[in-house]
Amino acid sequence: DQQVKQNSPSLSVQEGRISILNCDYTNSMFDYFLWYKKYPAEGPTFLISISSIKDKNEDGRFTVFLNKSAKHLSLHIVPSQPGDSAVYFCAAYFQGAQKLVFGQGTRLTINP
Amino acid sequence: EAGVTQFPSHSVIEKGQTVTLRCDPISGHDNLYWYRRVMGKEIKFLLHFVKESKQDESGMPNNRFLAERTGGTYSTLKVQPAELEDSGVYFCASRGAGYEQYFGPGTRLTVT
């Protein structure tokens, strides 16, 4: 039972444009969400997070939006840079639990 | 500040053999997690330590997997005997007071 879903396995964006990565979840008990970025042969690196009491969090070029009624979150990267090419994972915490539930990941490729 | 380190980076063993993976968390982080990624799928939770105590081991596949955390510092994950389906990348993560988990580079385990 996949509780966190990233339905796009890959995404290709031109350098300088906006990248939008999407994530859907099914469990309303999730109360905190995180995005991780992963390069080949490395571990996931924390990027940005959002609490379920907020609908937006911004950090430099990265913004995460949360739509609780739709059980959907998205990561916006503006402007996209070649170094952003990586696999991006959406992850969620259950209320009271401390383990992360991950999506399958989306491979983002930024084209020059 | 040193990040999470894992050893070895890669291990190739034959079915039926034993392998021990090690994780050194960020200094001062009481929470230590093990995750696994199989065949490029989602990253799945295995277990969670708070200091030296197992808080949640609901993700451990079976009793061939044994995790320990000596004195609340480093942790080991032993697989005995290894099976083909145990192949994958094993990640360790640690967490301090916040929500963010910081991941190590992973150990790629190949069982032949």
Side-chain angles (χ1 to χ4, degrees), chain B residues 91-109:
Chain B
F91 292 106
C92 175
S94 72
R95 180 175 67 83
Y99 281 93
E100 297 79 17
Q101 295 186 16
Y102 296 91
F103 283 76
T107 293
R108 179 174 295 277
L109 175 63

Side-chain angles (χ1 to χ4, degrees), chain B residues 46-63:
Chain B
L46 294 178
L47 88 158
H48 170 210
F49 283 100
V50 177
K51 297 185 179 179
E52 68 275 8
S53 300
K54 291 178 187 174
Q55 180 78 9
D56 180 355
E57 51 184 331
S58 61
M60 295 287 263
N62 50 60
N63 59 11

Side-chain angles (χ1 to χ4, degrees), chain B residues 53-81:
Chain B
S53 300
K54 291 178 187 174
Q55 180 78 9
D56 180 355
E57 51 184 331
S58 61
M60 295 287 263
N62 50 60
N63 59 11
R64 295 185 294 102
F65 288 75
L66 176 63
E68 295 179 328
R69 189 176 182 193
T70 305
T73 55
Y74 71 92
S75 175
T76 57
L77 179 64
K78 182 192 290 188
V79 185
Q80 179 183 29

